[in-house]
Amino acid sequence: MKHVPGLFAALLAAQIGCALPALAQSAGDAPAIQSRASETLRRTVRFDEIGFDAGIEFRQLSGEVTFFLPAARAEAIEGAMLRIELEHGESMQTERFLSVALADRVVKVASLEGSSGRMTVEVPVPDGAITGGFLKVTLGYSGAHSEQLCIDERASGDFVFIRPGSALELYVRGGELDSPLDVARLMPRDKRLVLDGEGPEMLPFAMMAGAAYDAEFGAVRVGGSDAGGREWTSGALVAGRDGARGGRVEVMALDGRPALGFGGSDPALGLALLESEWQALAAIDGIAPVSLDGAEEASSRMTFAELGAPKLRQNVVGSSTFTFNFAADALPSGTLPERLELLVAAANSASGRGVAVSVFVNDSMVGSRPLDSAEPEWMDFALPAGLIGRDNQVDILVQRQVEGGGCRFAPQGYPTEILPQSRFVLGDGPAPGDDFFLMRQAFRDGVTVVAEPGVAERAWPLLLPLAGALIPDRATVTGAAQLSQAEGPFIYVGTNPPAGSDPALRFDQGAVEILDGDGGVMFAGSGLEALSFVQVVETEQGAGIWIRPGDGPAPQPTRSIPLQLDRGQLAILDQDGLVLSVARSRTDLLQISYPDQTDLLQLLAKYRPWIVGAAWLALTLLLIRFLQGVYRKRRDSSEG
C-alpha cells in the first residue's frame, strides 16, 4: 500500500446502490444479500490468528506476555469468555501459577498442580474490559521452591505451553456491527469472495484480497457459503462494479452474517482503504476513496518501531533471547539492510557486572559485543550480502553471569531492553529481477495485473494463492487490458510470454523438455502441460512476473504447507505446491531443451562434453607440435 499524507485526491460520500444486491442473485450458491445481519453469532478468535502459530511458552518459573485480541464494540457483545488451553510440567516439586490480567486488571490466578498435565483455564470477560474494539490480555507465569534457595530455578525443568488453539469466544449481535471497520476487525481469518463474474475486470480486487488475507496459506477462496448454526467461520467479501466513481465499501449481510460489500468503478479501492493507515475512515459507512496517489520516499534507515517490532524487554537472570521478525517488502523498494544498529539498555548487577549481546540474523551470527555501562549504548553489526531474504528473523541473545547470595538470596534478574530506536541501515539492493522476493518488494508501491482473454477465468484457484505469495499485504493492485498500459512492475497471466520478454522457459518453440543437471528428463509432454510456471521476466516496462497456468489441479496451500516464493527466477508448481524454484543462471541444476529446434546453441549444449574434450585434445596436440618445433631448433643450433 502506498503510505502518503495525500493518500486521497478526494473523498466522496456514496449512496448505497442496487448493484451489489443484484450481484448476490448472480452468485449462484449465495442467498440474497441483506442490509444487516439479524442473528447473534459466536465468533471464536484463536491465538494463532494474531500471530501465535507456535503458541506461547514460559520456562524457569517466570515470564510475561501482553497482546491484544480483536473484538467488537462493547455494545455489540452479549457475552465473552477467554479459554486458555495449556500444557505444563516440572521435574521437581514447586509451586507454580498462571495469572491472567484483562485490561491491566488481574482477574484470575490459576494454580498449576501436579508434575505435568493439561488444563483449560476459563476466564469470563468482565464489563469494560473490551475497549476500542480490542481486549488487552496479559499472561504471567511465576513460581518458587519454598525456601530452597540453594536450588537454581533452572534446575526445575519447568514449563508452561499455551496452545495456539486458545481463544476468545465472543457472542456478537450481528446487526450492531454497522461500520466496515467493525466488520473487518472481527471477520474470521478464512475469507470467501463473492464476485460479479470471474473475468479479468475482477482480477485486481481478487488478487488484492488474496494478498491481504493470506491466500498463500489457503485462507481465501471463491464462492461457498457459511450457513448453518451460530458459529461465524468465514468472512464474505462481496464485490461488483457499477457506475459510481472510484470505489465503495459498505456493510451488508450474507448467509445471516455480516459481510463487506465493495462497489464503484474500481472496487479494489475500497479494499485498499481498509488495509491502509487510513482505515479509521472506514468507520464512516459508505465512504468512497477516489484515488490512491503517490509513493513513499525512500529512507536510508528503518527503525524497529517503524517495522512494528513488539516491546523487547525482559528481566535477565542468566540468558534471554529477544526475537524480532520482518519481511523484505516492509523496506522501501530497491533497498536491503547493510548494517544493524542496536540501541541496548541493560541494568548492571549488584556487583556492577554488565551483559554480553550476541546477534543472529536468519540463524547466522553477525557479531557479539560486551555492554558494561548501565546507560543505553549503540552497537553496530555488519550484515553480509545475501543474508536477507523474503522473511527474516533477528535473535538477540543477552547473557550475564548468574549471581547468587550463598544460599541466602535467590538469583536476581535485571532488566534489559532493545530500544525501539534500533534500526537497519539500508543500501541499494540487487535488481528486482534477480529474485522473487525482490519482485515482491518492488510490488510494494503497486502492481498492474494483465491477463490474456480467457485465461483468468479458468485460473482463479491458482491466482489467489500466487497473489498471496507474490504481492505484499498492503500493495495496491490495478488492472490493465494490455501490458503497454502498465506503469511500473506487472504480473502477466497468459499461455504465451509477454511481448518483448526473453523468459528462461518458453512454450512457443515446439516441444519442451526440462532436464536435471545430469541430462535426465524431469518433465516433458502431458506431464509438463499439467504444471504451472511462474517466471521473472524483463520487458520494455521493466521487470515483472509471468504466470502460465497449467492444465492440472492448482495448489491447495494450508497453514502448515504454505505457498511461498523466496529466491529464484523460475518456479514450477503442481497440485502439491512448489516443485522447484531456481535461478536462471543455475544451469547445473536445471536445463531446458527444445527438441524441435536444432540451432547452433542447442547443438553446443547437447554435445558440450564432446566438444570440450575435442578442444582440449586439439590444444594438447598443438602444444606438443609447438614444443617439438622448439626442441628441433635447439638441437639444430647446437649441432651447427
Side-chain angles (χ1 to χ4, degrees), residues 250-321:
E250 58 196 22
V251 176
M252 52 182 55
L254 186 65
D255 296 326
R257 282 109 169 96
L260 291 175
F262 301 88
S265 60
D266 188 357
L269 286 176
L271 182 58
L273 172 64
L274 284 179
E275 294 301 309
S276 74
E277 61 186 359
W278 298 86
Q279 63 177 217
L281 290 175
I284 306 173
D285 192 16
I287 201 73
V290 174
S291 63
L292 300 167
D293 300 322
E296 182 180 15
E297 294 184 2
S299 172
S300 62
R301 287 179 172 84
M302 201 78 170
T303 67
F304 280 20
E306 292 172 318
L307 291 171
K311 182 174 68 174
L312 301 175
R313 180 190 302 165
Q314 297 182 36
N315 286 336
V316 179
V317 177
S319 66
S320 291
T321 300

Side-chain angles (χ1 to χ4, degrees), residues 165-528:
S166 303
L168 171 65
E169 290 186 1
L170 294 169
Y171 292 86
V172 184
R173 303 182 189 94
E176 295 290 336
L177 301 178
D178 53 5
S179 79
L181 185 57
D182 287 342
V183 177
R185 281 177 175 171
L186 201 57
M187 264 189 174
R189 177 170 55 184
D190 293 337
K191 304 291 190 300
R192 51 197 175 93
L193 307 183
V194 182
L195 306 174
D196 186 9
E198 297 181 3
E201 65 278 357
M202 296 307 300
L203 198 54
F205 176 87
M207 296 194 75
M208 184 181 291
Y213 297 118
D214 297 337
E216 69 270 34
F217 294 96
V220 182
R221 70 182 190 274
V222 177
S225 67
D226 192 25
R230 298 179 65 185
E231 193 71 30
W232 189 11
T233 59
S234 67
L237 307 178
V238 184
R241 300 179 66 183
D242 54 56
R245 183 187 174 200
R248 181 178 70 249
V249 54
E250 58 196 22
V251 176
M252 52 182 55
L254 186 65
D255 296 326
R257 282 109 169 96
L260 291 175
F262 301 88
S265 60
D266 188 357
L269 286 176
L271 182 58
L273 172 64
L274 284 179
E275 294 301 309
S276 74
E277 61 186 359
W278 298 86
Q279 63 177 217
L281 290 175
I284 306 173
D285 192 16
I287 201 73
V290 174
S291 63
L292 300 167
D293 300 322
E296 182 180 15
E297 294 184 2
S299 172
S300 62
R301 287 179 172 84
M302 201 78 170
T303 67
F304 280 20
E306 292 172 318
L307 291 171
K311 182 174 68 174
L312 301 175
R313 180 190 302 165
Q314 297 182 36
N315 286 336
V316 179
V317 177
S319 66
S320 291
T321 300
F322 301 80
T323 299
F324 166 51
N325 298 283
F326 72 97
D329 55 78
L331 308 172
S333 300
T335 67
L336 286 180
E338 292 183 339
R339 308 191 69 82
L340 173 57
E341 297 178 348
L342 292 180
L343 183 58
V344 185
N348 286 347
S349 67
S351 61
R353 292 180 177 176
V355 299
V357 180
S358 302
V359 178
F360 300 81
V361 177
N362 293 335
D363 294 326
S364 295
M365 185 172 180
V366 297
S368 182
R369 306 282 189 274
L371 176 59
D372 296 320
S373 172
E375 300 294 329
E377 186 172 309
W378 284 100
M379 298 182 177
D380 188 9
F381 302 90
L383 300 179
L387 186 60
I388 301 299
R390 168 186 159 146
D391 298 305
N392 307 278
Q393 180 170 309
V394 179
D395 295 302
I396 304 167
L397 175 63
V398 178
Q399 297 172 294
R400 65 165 70 246
Q401 181 64 45
V402 178
E403 297 182 5
C407 296
R408 294 179 300 165
F409 306 106
Q412 173 67 48
Y414 297 90
T416 299
E417 181 171 3
I418 312 300
L419 297 173
Q421 296 94 321
S422 300
R423 62 204 179 197
F424 291 102
V425 178
L426 306 178
D428 293 335
D434 285 4
D435 280 302
F436 285 118
F437 85 93
L438 295 171
M439 285 303 310
R440 179 181 171 95
Q441 188 191 51
F443 292 159
R444 181 178 187 265
D445 295 329
V447 55
T448 302
V449 178
V450 183
E452 287 182 2
V455 176
E457 287 83 348
R458 59 183 175 84
W460 285 97
L462 170 68
L463 296 180
L464 285 178
L466 278 179
L470 293 170
I471 303 174
D473 293 352
R474 290 189 168 188
T476 301
V477 182
T478 56
Q482 297 179 356
L483 187 59
S484 59
Q485 300 171 348
E487 297 181 0
F490 63 88
I491 293 178
Y492 184 83
V493 183
T495 55
N496 298 308
S501 66
D502 183 22
L505 175 61
R506 307 186 66 95
F507 295 88
D508 54 1
Q509 297 186 10
V512 182
E513 292 181 350
I514 298 179
L515 315 176
D516 59 22
D518 297 326
V521 177
M522 297 174 62
F523 304 103
S526 59
L528 187 70

Side-chain angles (χ1 to χ4, degrees), residues 25-246:
Q25 298 175 1
S26 69
D29 55 355
I33 293 177
Q34 305 164 355
S35 60
R36 288 288 185 272
S38 57
E39 300 181 24
T40 296
L41 304 171
R42 183 172 70 176
R43 167 72 170 101
T44 303
V45 184
R46 291 166 50 106
F47 284 14
D48 53 11
E49 288 188 39
I50 62 169
F52 295 115
D53 297 280
I56 305 168
E57 188 170 20
F58 302 122
R59 294 177 182 270
Q60 298 181 19
L61 300 177
S62 66
E64 183 178 280
V65 63
T66 298
F67 52 91
F68 293 82
L69 291 167
R73 291 179 291 107
E75 54 269 26
I77 299 175
E78 286 190 357
M81 176 74 73
L82 181 65
R83 285 190 169 87
I84 302 173
E85 301 176 2
L86 62 86
E87 301 176 23
H88 67 95
E90 61 183 5
S91 58
M92 58 190 309
Q93 186 174 1
T94 57
E95 296 179 4
R96 299 175 297 129
F97 304 91
L98 179 74
S99 66
V100 182
L102 303 180
D104 297 322
R105 174 187 167 194
V106 177
V107 295
K108 190 175 187 67
V109 177
S111 175
L112 308 179
E113 300 178 353
S115 60
S116 63
R118 292 187 177 186
M119 61 184 295
T120 299
V121 179
E122 295 188 348
V123 184
V125 179
D127 294 339
I130 297 176
T131 58
F134 291 91
L135 174 65
K136 181 179 182 181
V137 180
T138 301
L139 303 180
Y141 172 57
S142 60
H145 284 293
S146 64
E147 298 186 3
Q148 299 294 324
L149 297 180
C150 286
I151 300 176
D152 193 332
E153 277 84 349
R154 293 171 295 176
S156 66
D158 65 290
F159 74 93
V160 171
F161 175 64
I162 310 296
R163 300 178 63 84
S166 303
L168 171 65
E169 290 186 1
L170 294 169
Y171 292 86
V172 184
R173 303 182 189 94
E176 295 290 336
L177 301 178
D178 53 5
S179 79
L181 185 57
D182 287 342
V183 177
R185 281 177 175 171
L186 201 57
M187 264 189 174
R189 177 170 55 184
D190 293 337
K191 304 291 190 300
R192 51 197 175 93
L193 307 183
V194 182
L195 306 174
D196 186 9
E198 297 181 3
E201 65 278 357
M202 296 307 300
L203 198 54
F205 176 87
M207 296 194 75
M208 184 181 291
Y213 297 118
D214 297 337
E216 69 270 34
F217 294 96
V220 182
R221 70 182 190 274
V222 177
S225 67
D226 192 25
R230 298 179 65 185
E231 193 71 30
W232 189 11
T233 59
S234 67
L237 307 178
V238 184
R241 300 179 66 183
D242 54 56
R245 183 187 174 200

